[in-house]
Amino acid sequence: MKLKNAVVFITGANRGLGRAFAQAALAAGAAKVYAAARDPAAIDLAGVVPVALDVTDPTQVAAAAARCADVTLLVNNAGISRHGSLLGDDGMAAARAELETNFFGPWALTRAFAPALRVNGGGAVLNVLSVLSWVTVPGVATYSASKAAAWSLSNGLRNELRAQGTQVTSLHVGYMDTDMTRGLDAAKAAPADVARLAFEGIEAGAFEVLADDLSRQVKHSLSSPTPAYAG
């Protein structure tokens, strides 16, 4: 699909990559951009339509889908990290919170918007995942589990939405210069570059976008005798 004249709905659009997606969609000539966030007052980008949305709230999800029935591209960007460890006292609580937002959130949004996407010609869904879909590092083990689940979800949704002509694209990225990686001493991709690459992938019909060298290296390692996830 093409971004020009598309109607785009972006979750977590008030900052970071979500805001960059909104900017990139406007620059690409989208007809309308819905910018969703828990607090729509936090949306400070001109030219978008703010939408109040907590992706873990079924009532708000249904209301957003009913209000924004003209959508042709859904961007499931909202995500959280609780920095949980699998054996820590708070690990299960962290995982449940992350799964609610990072896994059940995109699932609920895609189910809610699928009928509109079908009516509007098929369109596309972009799920923001992570290099941590494939590898787990200390300090974010529960987050990694939620993103691995979201990767499987994306692959399943792609299969189930194919019949109605809806494209599903997964975006994988490593370190990115957002609030989530603040204070981390590592090379980071710019959100604007990641958004641009993701939308280029959408327009090319790609099922997967690897937005940085780290994601490409880890993905390549998966079929090797020493995959990155082996540590």
Side-chain angles (χ1 to χ4, degrees):
M1 68 167 293
K2 298 299 181 183
L3 267 293
K4 186 174 177 61
N5 296 322
V7 178
V8 186
F9 188 101
I10 305 163
T11 67
N14 56 313
R15 60 182 181 176
L17 182 58
R19 192 176 191 279
F21 275 130
Q23 290 175 309
L26 291 171
K32 186 186 298 183
V33 177
Y34 293 108
R38 288 181 177 176
D39 178 11
I43 304 292
D44 63 355
L45 183 63
V48 303
V49 180
V51 178
L53 176 66
D54 178 345
V55 301
T56 70
D57 184 329
T59 300
Q60 290 192 20
V61 170
R67 172 187 172 188
C68 308
D70 52 348
V71 165
T72 59
L73 171 59
L74 169 65
V75 180
N76 285 313
N77 166 73
I80 62 169
S81 175
R82 291 288 185 257
H83 302 285
S85 62
L86 299 177
L87 300 181
D89 292 341
D90 62 347
M92 287 191 175
R96 287 190 176 99
E98 288 161 340
L99 284 163
E100 283 294 333
T101 297
N102 302 345
F103 174 71
F104 288 108
W107 187 356
L109 264 293
T110 304
R111 287 186 72 249
F113 276 95
L117 292 172
R118 176 180 54 79
V119 169
N120 296 330
V125 176
L126 174 66
N127 289 330
V128 177
L129 304 180
S130 171
V131 68
L132 296 179
S133 304
W134 303 313
V135 64
T136 303
V137 298
V140 288
T142 57
Y143 176 82
S144 299
S146 74
K147 287 299 186 178
W151 181 44
S152 181
L153 172 69
S154 294
N155 295 333
L157 290 172
R158 183 178 303 111
N159 293 337
E160 295 196 23
L161 289 172
R162 184 175 291 116
Q164 71 172 43
T166 299
Q167 171 185 339
V168 177
T169 300
S170 298
L171 168 65
H172 296 268
V173 61
Y175 299 119
M176 189 167 42
D177 191 13
T178 64
D179 290 346
M180 192 175 288
T181 61
R182 182 178 296 159
L184 186 65
D185 185 17
K188 302 173 187 177
D193 292 337
V194 175
R196 175 180 54 79
L197 288 170
F199 283 159
E200 287 177 358
I202 289 285
E203 291 198 325
F207 72 91
E208 187 171 74
V209 174
L210 308 178
D212 59 0
D213 288 340
L214 180 59
S215 294
R216 288 185 281 272
Q217 290 164 6
V218 170
K219 179 66 185 294
H220 180 72
S221 83
L222 297 183
S223 60
S224 75
T226 55
Y229 61 76

